[in-house]
Amino acid sequence: MSTFPFTAVVGADDMSLALVLTSVAPEIGGVLVRGEKGTAKSTLVRALAAVLPEQDVIAGCRFGCDPGAPDPECPDTARHEQTTVRRRPHLVELPVGAGEDRVTGSLDLSAALSEGHAAFEPGLLAAANRGILYVDEVNLLPDHLVDVLLDAAAMGRNTVERDGVSVSHAARMELIGTMNPEEGELRPQLLDRFGLTVEVAASRDPQERAEVVRRRLAFDSDPESFTTRYADAQADLSARLAAARKRLPEVELSDRAMAAIARVCAGFDVDGMRADIVTARAALAHAAWRGGAEVLREDIRAAAMFALPHRRRRNPFDAPGMDEDLLDQLLDESGLPDDPHEGPDGPDGPDDGPGGGEQTNAPDAADNPPAGADAPAPTQQPGAPEETADAPHDTDAGDTADAPSAGVAPIGVAGAETPYRAKAFEVRGVGEGALGRRSKARTDAGRTVSHAVYDGGSVHLPATIRSAALREARSAASPRRLRIVRDDLRRQVREGREANLVLFVVDASGSMAAHKRMTEVKTAVLSLLLDAYQRRDQVSLISFRGRTAELTLPPTSSVDAAAARLAELPHGGRTPLAEGLELTAHTLRLARLRDPRRRPLVVLVTDGRATATPDALDRANAIADRWPETGWETLVLDCEAGRMRLALAARLAARMHARHVPVGDVAAQTLVDHVAASTTRLGRSA
């Protein structure tokens, strides 16, 4: 099967350079590519393997050992043959549903049961040694699995200690992950473990977009002929990569250059020392790539553009990015020289693309404009929209003007204040959803609570042996040595935490606008969104105002998108509570069809009023009375304020069998204050 040529990809210079740098120096720690769908992320990664220099491998070694320097701890040392084979590095793709055993390797059950000894079955890390491990949609992997991958990439080794197996083998690989931020973000702790990150976006230049389509159609029509057209450019790029790897140990990192790297990292207020180390390694790789003998300013600048954006300190929901003016200022202060003509490649430096001059030699190079002209727009801050106007009084007046059909601007858009740490709300019972950090669930990770008949997963050795012993004890003729058969196998039943679907249903009517109540509501919801981000939940947002309800954000893992939609949420008009509840039920039924195991947590933000129609309150109460039949865990966030309170939200929560929480009690500190006050009163009474 033909692969689209690396040098034929149009308009991805930043991503190409990042992949080249980590190919020159795999110890950088891999590349994370972030970008919208349809931006050639997977195409470019799969094409990289075809231009990597060939390598010698010991024949018969499942771990791809180098004949010149074999791994002394390789489990296949006894299988090492005198002959060698020459091949391109392997590109290993991590399947979406792969478990930890598949990644790291595990006990070979067939050998253990048939031959009676513990044998190691290599995993994907072994197959990727001295090659590429590609993880598409890395942000959707469980955190513990991402940790395993990043640890192996950073240490260059994989160690397995379980099920009677103790193995350590080389895992020196180029780890590349791709993700679409709209589907959710990586936790900052995991994001920091990737050496480099790069943002990609589709070009808005019509000529460049047309060239992308032209080349793709030409490749699909005749892959062999299209690949032949770029054969020379591919060979040139492969030779340049080999030369850069050979030159890398000879590149000098002077004290001035090291001081400049430290100044840049300190200037961007990054945490820890990993940023300094990665920037230094990337700068050395960049100098070797351009053919230089020492690290110059341009090398540090290029390295910092990839190594620092995801490591700088950011507030929750801030978009990653770099202040290039600050970067240039810090480099100016370092006083490093910058000679773009240094090195055997002359002016043909990294700005001409990863292949150096290969695009000039390619047939379609004249139609390949430079990339990077259209950078992705930064995500809007949750608190950015200013409050334009508040409702003049705590009523639902103005419904006609604010109804969606009227086409008139809403009464106002309130901004949120700084989010706080919210209380931990969870779905009661024990679920079976995806790994997360909110509600109790039967998961593949966590503490072992029991065992069950084996149907896949980790073998529970004590329970298996116990089952075999009981069976042998019941047998009339029991052999001296315990014999284990298939029916004796037991698996571990583990209890951990699952991720949930947190559906926010927000009353955005005119009654919420009084006394700046909407600002308090948005701050509370934003705080709960931050909590959902930390617990790896999916989120969704429904708003209701005027006479209708709207699914503002369908279920997604991107809490950044939810925060942006919340910031732009208008308020005003009457209160269609029944319509909001009906849309909530419809949304949850669809979500159950897509993911039956993910349990929902409904957060209904309301003061309990229903004024859209004369019978609005009766219709809302009728829906609320049927709500307990659904079994959906529901939290009513009571937003009623003022001296005269009707307690409508509390009555609604009672009808729905939901938990009732005043909006002021969402903050975790509120609970601490209540406990402290109670303790003080008890002390005084004593």
Side-chain angles (χ1 to χ4, degrees), residues 67-105:
D71 178 16
E73 299 182 46
C74 177
D76 277 3
T77 301
R79 301 185 184 184
H80 285 182
E81 303 174 5
Q82 297 297 325
T83 58
T84 63
V85 294
R86 192 163 182 80
R87 71 185 189 193
R88 297 275 186 190
H90 284 166
L91 171 67
V92 179
E93 296 194 38
L94 180 68
V96 175
E100 187 173 348
D101 290 351
R102 180 75 179 92
V103 174
T104 62

Side-chain angles (χ1 to χ4, degrees), residues 416-431:
E417 297 176 348
T418 303
Y420 44 75
R421 186 168 67 90
K423 288 181 182 178
F425 299 103
E426 64 180 61
V427 179
R428 287 169 285 200
V430 179

Side-chain angles (χ1 to χ4, degrees), residues 47 65 78 156 256 308 344 353 359 496 505 626 641:
C65 281
R256 287 182 68 183
L308 300 186
Q359 292 291 353
V505 187
R626 297 193 301 270

Side-chain angles (χ1 to χ4, degrees), residues 216 273 324 332 612:
R216 187 72 232 187
M273 295 300 298
E324 296 191 39
D332 288 341

Side-chain angles (χ1 to χ4, degrees), residues 347-358:
D348 192 20
D351 289 337
D352 297 317
E358 78 273 5

Side-chain angles (χ1 to χ4, degrees), residues 162-177:
R162 65 171 180 272
D163 294 337
V165 173
S166 178
V167 171
S168 178
H169 66 82
R172 189 173 183 268
M173 61 193 172
E174 188 176 339
L175 178 64
I176 302 175

Side-chain angles (χ1 to χ4, degrees), residues 239-263:
R240 190 177 174 189
L241 275 171
R245 285 183 175 181
K246 185 177 180 180
R247 187 184 300 116
L248 180 62
E250 303 171 359
V251 177
E252 178 187 358
L253 180 63
S254 65
D255 290 341
R256 287 182 68 183
M258 206 173 302
I261 291 173
R263 177 186 291 272

Side-chain angles (χ1 to χ4, degrees), residues 551 581-592 627 632:
L551 180 60
L581 294 176
E582 288 174 348
L583 182 57
T584 300
H586 176 71
T587 302
L588 291 179
R589 283 192 289 267
L590 291 179
R592 179 181 290 172
W627 199 264
W632 295 324

